[in-house]
Amino acid sequence: MIRVGIGYDSHRFAEGRLLVLAGVTIPFARGLTGHSDADVATHACIDALLGAVGMGDIGSHFPDTDPEYSGADSIALMAEVHRRIRSTGWTANQVDVTVILELPRLGPHLDAMRERLAGPLGIAPADVSVKATTNEGMGFIGRGEGVAAMAVATLRRLEAAPPLQSRPGDSLQQA
Ligand code: MG
C-alpha cells in the first residue's frame, strides 16, 4: 500500500538572506525571506509528506509565531516531521520536487539537493528527484520577486510497525 501527498510553497526574495534550497546554500545575491531559513523546496516536501498521511501542514507542526523556529534549518524540521510520520507506521518512499525560479540556475546543485533531502528521509538519492524550471518571465516568479516549489511524496508502510488503531492523522488533529 502506498500513500501520496502533494505540497506547494513560495517565498519572497530579500536582501541580506542566504538562498537555501533543499538544504543546499546556493551562491546568489539575494536569499528568500521567512520565519525559518525559508527553504521553499524543503517546505514543499514537508507538506507533501504530511499530506500523504493527512497530518496537517508545516505550519501546524512548526508555527511561524514560535520563536523556537526562527531561522530554523528546514532539513532538521523535515527530519522531525519524518519521525512523527514514522510513529504512525508510515515511512518515506520517494519524493519528486520542482523548484520554479528564473535565477539562479540550479543545474549544478541538483545532485547535492537530492542527497540533502534523501538523508533525513532514510531513502537513497535515487529515490529523490529535484527539478528546476523557470516561469518563462511570467508573474511574480518571472519578475524575480520570489521562488515557488511543488512536491509529490509517496509513503509506504513501515515493516514491523504495529497495526494502526485509527487513521494516521486522527491523533494529531486531536492534539
Ligand atoms: Mg515556507
Side-chain angles (χ1 to χ4, degrees), residues 4-96:
V4 180
I6 185 171
Y8 171 85
D9 195 23
S10 60
H11 280 266
R12 185 181 292 273
F13 274 123
E15 305 291 336
R17 298 270 304 182
L18 290 175
L19 179 60
V20 182
L21 294 173
V24 176
T25 301
I26 293 168
F28 195 56
R30 295 179 298 164
L32 297 174
T33 186
H35 187 64
S36 67
D37 62 7
D39 183 342
V40 66
T42 303
H43 293 183
C45 288
I46 289 172
D47 273 1
L49 293 161
L50 289 169
V53 279
M55 283 175 60
D57 63 16
I58 186 170
S60 63
H61 287 259
F62 311 111
D64 64 9
T65 51
D66 188 335
E68 184 182 346
Y69 304 118
S70 177
D73 172 356
S74 295
I75 292 289
L77 298 182
M78 188 172 74
E80 173 58 22
V81 158
H82 194 226
R83 276 191 287 275
R84 293 179 188 184
I85 288 171
R86 285 173 66 90
S87 74
T88 72
W90 293 87
T91 193
N93 183 67
Q94 172 250 334
V95 177
D96 185 16

